[in-house]
Amino acid sequence: MTETRRSYCGLCHPRCGLLLEMDGEKVVGVRGDKEHPVTRGMICQRAQLMVDHLYHPERINFPLKRKGERGSGKFQRVGWDEALDDVASRLDALRLRFGAETLAFTHGTKRTYHWDERRFNNLFGTPNICGANNVCMCPSQAVEYATYGGFSWGDILQTRCVVLWGMGASQSKPGMFGQIMMAKKNGARLIVVDPRRIREAEMADMWLPIRPGTDVALMLGWLKILIEEGLYDREFVEKWTVGFEDLKKAVEPYSAERVAEITWLTPAQVRDSAHMYAANRPAMITWGFGIDKQGVNATQAARARSILRAVSGNLDVPGGEPLGFADPIGKILSFNKLEMNEALSAAQRAKQLGADEYPFFGYPGWERNDAANQRLPHDYMHPPWAGQTCVGHARAVFNAMRSGKPYPVKAAISVASNPLLSLADVRKTHEALSSLDLYVVGEYYLTPSAALADYIFPICTTVETTELWHGTDFCVACPRGIDPLYERRNTYDFWRGLAVRLGQKEHWPWESVDRVWDHCLAPVGLTFQKLAEQNGIFGRREYKRYEKLGFGTPSGKVEIRSSIFEALGCEPLPVYREMPMSPQGDPELYKQYPLVLITGSRFMPMYHSEWRQIPAAREKRPDPLVTLHPETAAGLGLKEGDWVRVSTPKGSVRMRLHVSDMVDSRMADADHGWWFPERKDAKLFDVFESNANVLCPDDAEYCSPEIGGWPHTALLCRVEKE
Ligand SMILES: Nc1nc2c(c(=O)[nH]1)N[C@H]1C(S)=C(S)[C@@H](COP(=O)(O)OP(=O)(O)OC[C@H]3O[C@@H](n4cnc5c(=O)[nH]c(N)nc54)[C@H](O)[C@@H]3O)O[C@H]1N2
Ligand SMILES: Nc1nc2c(c(=O)[nH]1)N[C@H]1C(S)=C(S)[C@@H](COP(=O)(O)OP(=O)(O)OC[C@H]3O[C@@H](n4cnc5c(=O)[nH]c(N)nc54)[C@H](O)[C@@H]3O)O[C@H]1N2
Ligand code: SF4
Ligand SMILES: [Mo]
């Protein structure tokens, strides 16, 4: 029998328990760890390819230094010390010449430790961290802090109604999908709000095939029905909210008939779904990226959703939307404490690019959320992480790279992000990164973004390092399965390596990340080792703690009318905005681009731009796909498998046609994340050819005025034969 070792998979956000099947020191297989106290043996299709990823011949195993032209993809192997020395001395020189704000950092979807990057950048002195956070989940988090002083992921297992709103959990969140199936088995209702007939829609009690970009209108319609029919929690609203009278006025125009006109739904669908949500309590509404990627509507959708959760009486009840940490999990040192936000001076904070335009997601908003939160004990509610809820705006940062205005941004570091693939307006991102004096990347593979770098550092896989995984009611040690291969290191070692060379040594006292975990666990009397031995700790949750402590908002109540938004000059009550690039928003444009475009719907086993180089993954999805309804395809004279051009006013890409009645005949659904690692001689692996972000704008008119989120959905496009 082969030896097995416990480790974990961190290929997406959770950290599922993995058993590594070993042949000596080589991992030859993986399976789910049934003893894992949270994931109990569940692993998804991606984890099954862990071995292919771990030993992939194209993994970056040594630090690389650029030797050809920038972007030529030519690198030479160098040592860690030599590379870190050179990067540190060049950063120091740039800081001296242009100020610390000349360094930018781009983050991706945050699968690494991420407090380490914030800590480094705070101590270096730059506020210019930017990336996917403006569009990904973090707006929901920031908005919930402003509304009720914390955030909730919902209590699926005990709920009687799951509203899966803009989320395809079966493809994106396998663990959560399992929980939804269990909840359904236990009798919970399932409402799915999604323009596509996804697997979950087929299982649902009610499926609402909504027009992309119009969810706020539906939320306001639900609120109106709840209020007018007395289906809300009157006592909670009276005692624990501010702004309810204003809300009544704000929802007034959103009758079921009006909502139906906006959303492609029928008045009956609007009414019946509101009634189902109200009648089945406790109920919960998921966070879904279908909401966060709505540009102008993203922030207000998160606001309307949080208000629905509150007025329906579901806040902080079992099976509803629990808030805060269960005891003693909240006592574990929160990662936001590791960010060292206090190290960045007010003068440097004021230089954050983009905060003038999008104050809520910059320091002005974060500082207000943080201050309001201080009224609560931190073992109940952790303050908002700056890493999640306080970032610069990528457009502003990239413009500064390109133009030197308002000041020069000459250097950037990207770790665990592939900005050329993930951010809207690829040409601008390309121009910006190409213009840098110094670009440093921490990566697994030579991606199009990494190909632009001066240095690439080899980062190890999760099974080669450790992590502390905690939710709001559990904490688990994620053990190292094998030592890092070749010269790969974890991101903590990368940042600490730079930090000690740049005068930050006293702030990085832990020589390895394992010691950081001991430090975090000390308040609960544990070490990483002990936590691993006892297989995690679980908290005991108390509900309705607000009855004693209030909410962590300026008023201490749920702010239906947000005083933080108001103070920042943002709309204090939820408002619906017609997407600027939509049939109603721009009827003239609609004549030329007659399909509503959504992009980036998740599918297994791909993850954003990753794994195009892993044959077993690529076999399942060989080409970039755009999906059209059979009638639409026939009308355009197109058939399954044709190569087509998908165009928006922003640009055009090449994709293969998939025909399916899963999508509405008025829309198109395009993959995101496509590049071609197999095309070794092509410039940047043909990153412009099939990359959906060539189609997506991030100009101000398309962005959420509060957070700056740009649209990856609800655009207009045209599809033609190539
Ligand atoms: N058109 C469109 N664009 C989108 C979206 C969409 O739906 N449509 N979704 C958006 C969303 S929600 C997000 S979060 C972003 C994601 O944006 P990114 O996170 O930038 O996307 P990835 O393609 O996953 O890039 C991550 C890169 O980091 C590397 N990597 C993975 N794990 C690690 C690690 O642990 N350490 C290090 N150092 N490197 C690692 C991978 O090899 C990969 O190249 O994309 C956004 N872009
Ligand atoms: N396999 C895989 N899993 C992933 C990822 C991945 O790349 N691959 N990425 C991870 C990341 S970073 C994230 S953020 C999550 C995101 O995961 P999800 O929250 O599931 O988000 P998406 O798959 O982008 O979109 C979900 C659904 O929103 C629908 N949608 C699009 N536009 C709208 C709209 O305007 N309104 C409504 N109501 N629905 C709309 C789409 O049809 C889609 O079914 O997935 C994570 N998990
Ligand atoms: S859901 Fe899948 S990819 Fe994500 S951590 Fe778990 S096993 Fe890994
Ligand atoms: Mo994301």
Side-chain angles (χ1 to χ4, degrees):
M1 221 182 100
T2 46
E3 183 208 347
T4 58
R5 279 192 211 157
R6 288 188 94 178
S7 191
Y8 71 104
C9 173
L11 292 172
C12 77
H13 298 125
R15 267 72 189 114
C16 301
L18 268 193
L19 286 181
L20 308 184
E21 294 164 3
M22 306 295 299
D23 180 1
E25 277 309 299
K26 194 164 163 77
V27 185
V28 292
V30 297
R31 54 179 200 266
D33 178 2
K34 293 207 171 78
E35 308 289 311
H36 191 280
V38 179
T39 56
R40 302 200 177 279
M42 192 290 303
I43 56 167
C44 73
Q45 288 183 38
R46 277 176 61 72
Q48 282 154 8
L49 299 179
M50 179 62 93
V51 178
D52 305 44
H53 170 53
L54 185 61
Y55 298 110
H56 195 283
E58 289 167 21
R59 280 289 294 265
I60 292 172
N61 294 323
F62 305 96
L64 299 176
K65 180 178 181 179
R66 173 164 71 85
K67 71 172 185 206
E69 287 271 293
R70 188 183 293 287
S72 65
K74 296 202 170 55
F75 291 89
Q76 71 193 62
R77 180 178 161 183
V78 287
W80 268 90
D81 282 338
E82 181 192 343
L84 287 171
D85 285 347
D86 191 34
V87 170
S89 79
R90 287 166 71 178
L91 284 178
D92 214 17
L94 288 169
R95 176 165 57 180
L96 211 61
R97 183 147 171 234
F98 299 107
E101 62 278 10
T102 202
L103 171 63
F105 173 73
T106 81
H107 63 76
T109 183
K110 305 256 170 184
R111 275 159 300 159
T112 48
Y113 308 134
H114 46 87
W115 47 264
D116 51 357
E117 66 207 23
R118 193 83 189 190
R119 188 179 185 94
F120 174 86
N121 285 295
N122 278 331
L123 288 161
F124 185 83
T126 181
N128 288 324
I129 288 176
C130 68
N133 273 6
N134 300 69
V135 292
C136 179
M137 307 292 165
C138 304
S140 299
Q141 208 174 106
V143 159
E144 290 187 28
Y145 269 100
T147 311
Y148 36 69
F151 62 92
S152 176
W153 289 325
D155 179 6
I156 302 181
L157 287 177
Q158 301 189 70
T159 198
R160 292 188 30 79
C161 181
V162 178
V163 186
L164 199 67
W165 206 316
M167 174 187 268
S170 60
Q171 300 303 307
S172 64
K173 303 251 151 78
M176 188 191 264
F177 182 65
Q179 291 188 340
I180 294 172
M181 304 261 272
M182 257 146 78
K184 252 200 92 60
K185 222 163 113 194
N186 295 335
R189 301 292 182 150
L190 176 62
I191 302 174
V192 171
V193 190
D194 200 298
R196 299 183 310 146
R197 201 184 65 243
I198 53 177
R199 188 168 158 203
E200 294 83 341
E202 284 175 350
M203 294 164 35
D205 295 282
M206 200 173 283
W207 168 44
L208 303 178
I210 196 165
R211 171 162 74 93
T214 64
D215 298 77
V216 183
L218 179 61
M219 290 174 184
L220 297 177
W222 275 22
L223 280 164
K224 182 174 162 80
I225 291 168
L226 260 59
I227 294 170
E228 290 186 354
E229 298 183 20
L231 302 173
Y232 65 99
D233 186 334
R234 213 175 276 272
E235 200 187 318
F236 178 85
V237 165
E238 270 166 27
K239 212 162 156 194
W240 287 110
T241 67
V242 290
F244 187 66
E245 290 305 315
D246 296 329
L247 179 69
K248 277 189 185 164
K249 285 192 212 103
V251 302
E252 187 47 47
Y254 291 92
S255 64
E257 287 67 27
R258 168 94 201 285
V259 173
E261 276 166 25
I262 298 172
T263 56
W264 288 351
L265 302 173
T266 63
Q269 282 174 316
V270 177
R271 277 191 210 101
D272 293 350
S273 55
H275 291 154
M276 186 177 278
Y277 176 65
N280 293 280
R281 281 199 225 160
M284 56 145 304
I285 311 177
T286 57
W287 288 7
F289 184 59
I291 300 295
D292 285 17
K293 61 175 140 184
Q294 290 187 18
V296 294
N297 278 312
T299 314
Q300 295 295 340
R303 280 275 294 147
R305 182 182 55 206
S306 63
I307 292 167
L308 263 173
R309 287 165 152 195
V311 302
S312 60
N314 283 303
L315 214 53
D316 217 10
V317 298
E321 320 277 3
L323 284 173
F325 284 78
D327 190 56
I329 304 303
K331 295 196 170 69
I332 296 167
L333 192 79
S334 154
F335 292 156
N336 73 324
K337 292 264 175 16
L338 294 172
E339 291 180 330
M340 283 200 69
N341 294 302
E342 65 284 4
L344 194 68
S345 68
Q348 287 307 101
R349 285 181 181 192
K351 294 178 188 163
Q352 186 181 41
L353 292 168
D356 52 343
E357 231 178 330
Y358 308 112
F360 180 61
F361 217 45
Y363 282 101
W366 176 78
E367 284 170 356
R368 283 175 168 81
N369 267 340
D370 187 61
N373 186 274
Q374 300 302 326
R375 69 160 64 235
L376 300 176
H378 287 173
D379 61 352
Y380 161 34
M381 195 76 78
H382 288 179
W385 292 8
Q388 309 272 40
T389 59
C390 178
V391 294
H393 197 263
R395 169 165 36 85
V397 174
F398 291 157
N399 282 347
M401 290 177 191
R402 297 192 306 164
S403 68
K405 294 201 177 89
Y407 53 75
V409 172
K410 294 282 187 189
I413 304 179
S414 296
V415 174
S417 81
N418 191 359
L420 276 180
L421 271 302
S422 55
L423 301 178
D425 197 344
V426 188
R427 286 188 196 279
K428 190 179 60 224
T429 311
H430 176 247
E431 232 186 84
L433 296 177
S434 304
S435 71
L436 292 167
D437 283 11
L438 178 65
Y439 185 39
V440 176
V441 167
E443 250 299 347
Y444 290 156
Y445 296 96
L446 182 63
T447 63
S449 307
L452 288 176
D454 296 280
Y455 280 99
I456 311 175
F457 287 87
I459 304 297
C460 66
T461 322
T462 52
V463 297
E464 299 166 275
T465 183
T466 57
E467 256 177 274
L468 204 59
W469 182 34
H470 76 75
T472 54
D473 55 5
F474 68 87
C475 181
V476 180
C478 305
R480 181 184 289 106
I482 55 167
D483 285 334
L485 300 168
Y486 308 95
E487 289 184 16
R488 301 176 192 172
R489 294 184 188 171
N490 63 37
T491 55
Y492 177 81
D493 292 337
F494 164 76
W495 289 113
R496 186 173 185 277
L498 269 187
V500 297
R501 288 168 171 81
L502 283 161
Q504 302 181 14
K505 189 163 183 194
E506 62 175 306
H507 299 295
W508 299 77
W510 314 283
E511 284 198 5
S512 80
V513 80
D514 300 16
R515 298 287 81 76
V516 181
W517 310 140
D518 290 343
H519 172 67
C520 294
L521 290 165
V524 288
L526 285 171
T527 59
F528 186 76
Q529 185 61 32
K530 274 199 233 154
L531 181 68
E533 281 161 15
Q534 70 180 62
N535 209 14
I537 47 171
F538 289 83
R540 203 179 46 84
R541 192 178 275 289
E542 238 187 279
Y543 295 93
K544 294 198 176 181
R545 275 176 288 180
Y546 60 81
E547 288 184 343
K548 276 181 265 155
L549 298 164
F551 289 93
T553 57
S555 61
K557 296 194 173 181
V558 174
E559 297 205 353
I560 292 175
R561 182 183 186 96
S562 167
S563 63
I564 293 185
F565 273 51
E566 201 150 33
L568 296 169
C570 302
E571 286 288 346
L573 287 153
V575 285
Y576 168 66
R577 301 171 177 130
E578 183 59 44
M579 296 292 284
M581 202 193 286
S582 73
Q584 282 86 333
D586 195 339
E588 279 307 306
L589 194 73
Y590 183 48
K591 290 184 192 149
Q592 298 163 52
Y593 297 93
L595 295 167
V596 175
L597 172 71
I598 71 171
T599 76
S601 306
R602 306 319 190 225
F603 56 90
M604 283 286 174
M606 295 301 190
Y607 199 88
H608 300 293
S609 67
E610 293 178 15
W611 288 18
R612 277 21 179 215
Q613 61 283 80
I614 294 188
R618 194 68 183 271
E619 264 165 33
K620 295 201 166 133
R621 181 70 66 118
D623 302 308
L625 294 188
V626 60
T627 305
L628 292 180
H629 189 274
E631 283 165 18
T632 316
L636 292 165
L638 298 171
K639 57 178 191 322
E640 177 78 24
D642 281 350
W643 281 101
V644 296
R645 229 151 247 267
V646 184
S647 315
T648 68
K650 193 82 203 166
S652 94
V653 295
R654 180 173 184 262
M655 294 191 157
R656 213 188 245 290
L657 182 68
H658 176 50
V659 179
S660 162
D661 65 1
M662 203 178 144
V663 300
D664 191 281
S665 59
R666 292 162 283 188
M667 65 184 278
D669 171 24
D671 282 3
H672 78 310
W674 275 94
W675 57 292
F676 303 94
E678 67 278 14
R679 299 190 196 165
K680 308 278 178 238
D681 295 328
K683 186 163 184 260
L684 302 178
F685 308 101
D686 282 332
V687 70
F688 298 103
E689 185 174 306
S690 301
N691 179 348
N693 281 324
V694 165
L695 306 173
C696 300
D698 73 351
D699 311 275
E701 63 185 298
Y702 299 105
C703 291
S704 141
E706 301 86 3
I707 280 179
W710 43 86
H712 291 301
T713 191
L715 297 162
L716 289 177
C717 77
R718 161 168 85 219
V719 179
E720 300 150 297
K721 190 154 176 116
E722 257 225 309

